Amino acid sequence: LYLTTKPAGKLINRVVRYVFDGNSLSQMKMIVDNIPAGSFHDGGRIGFGWEGMLYITTGDAGDEDAAQNTKSLAGKILRVMDDGAIPADNPFANAVYSYGHRNPQGLAWDANGNFWSTEHGRSGLASGYDELNLIKKGANYGWPVIQGDEKKEGMLVPVAHSGASATWAPAGIAALSEGLFFGGLRGQALYQASFPGEDSSAVIEELFKEKYGRIRAVALGPDGSLYISTSNTDGRG
């Protein structure tokens, strides 16, 4: 579970593990503690990769510079073992797997083992540049130094982004044979990313635009169907 709590008056995030016996939770174990938290840019997605490691998205929690600091847990994708131990091959000898993120919201692995994440771009009066990223170990995804198609040595650009004038506010993501599907909160759509060419460029299609409102979680069920949840009573719907 990814929890937000306020010990000693300071807002922080924690990842904790419980045993569920069918009726209740017990045997709480702290997996990752003291993740910077905020009312916005808070990350919060967790998921197990193909190799059994636990991945955790964290937002910059309002501190943009923290995203570029590999010693901070803010603005990152973290990777730990299921007991919280740090894998020996993590790139920075801590829980950080990738950095330079503003607010990554979705995690998915496709059939080829590629690791994908959705991420919120800038907000406020100049909203836009939401991202679909192909995640690589130790890579820097540029926030707050670059956004959109901007380039800088040592930083990766997104596989796709919403542009300067459009906002997806992407959330959960799932991988199917037909491509990647991710929810849009402000965009109020289910987005499909397909890769018809050989250059890895993505084509983004809007599905169910403004039909169901804000789409939050997107998951592939054991029956092969795609399940989505809406988020229309979170104060922004």
Side-chain angles (χ1 to χ4, degrees), residues 78-115:
L78 310 179
R79 176 186 188 237
V80 297
M81 300 175 75
D82 63 1
D83 61 358
I86 305 300
D89 62 339
N90 271 16
F92 305 107
N94 59 10
V96 174
Y97 187 78
S98 63
Y99 67 110
H101 297 288
R102 181 179 184 270
N103 191 18
Q105 286 285 301
L107 301 173
W109 291 262
D110 66 25
N112 296 318
N114 296 312
F115 178 20

Side-chain angles (χ1 to χ4, degrees), residues 29-207:
K29 176 178 175 56
M30 188 73 68
I31 301 301
V32 182
D33 199 0
N34 293 315
I35 300 171
S39 299
F40 306 100
H41 317 173
D42 202 46
R45 192 76 57 177
I46 62 176
F48 283 96
W50 294 127
E51 85 287 44
M53 300 294 180
L54 179 65
Y55 292 81
I56 304 151
T57 73
T58 73
D60 68 14
D63 181 1
E64 295 181 353
D65 292 337
Q68 287 294 317
N69 179 0
T70 57
K71 295 182 180 180
S72 169
L73 298 184
K76 308 295 188 296
I77 293 178
L78 310 179
R79 176 186 188 237
V80 297
M81 300 175 75
D82 63 1
D83 61 358
I86 305 300
D89 62 339
N90 271 16
F92 305 107
N94 59 10
V96 174
Y97 187 78
S98 63
Y99 67 110
H101 297 288
R102 181 179 184 270
N103 191 18
Q105 286 285 301
L107 301 173
W109 291 262
D110 66 25
N112 296 318
N114 296 312
F115 178 20
W116 300 92
S117 179
T118 54
E119 182 166 342
H120 287 201
R122 65 191 189 186
S123 59
L125 295 177
S127 182
Y129 291 127
D130 296 316
E131 298 179 351
L132 173 65
N133 284 310
L134 178 60
I135 303 301
K136 298 183 180 296
K137 181 169 68 174
N140 181 352
Y141 289 83
W143 178 256
V145 182
I146 61 172
Q147 55 187 331
D149 293 324
E150 296 174 348
K151 296 180 180 180
K152 186 171 183 177
E153 185 176 358
M155 297 181 180
L156 297 186
V157 299
V159 171
H161 64 80
S162 64
S165 59
T167 302
W168 299 334
I173 183 173
L176 282 75
S177 59
E178 297 87 351
L180 301 166
F181 293 82
F182 58 92
L185 295 167
R186 185 170 174 181
Q188 296 190 36
L190 178 69
Y191 296 94
Q192 179 179 0
S194 57
F195 303 86
E198 297 181 357
D199 60 355
S200 299
S201 60
V203 174
I204 306 295
E205 181 181 359
E206 292 181 330
L207 309 174

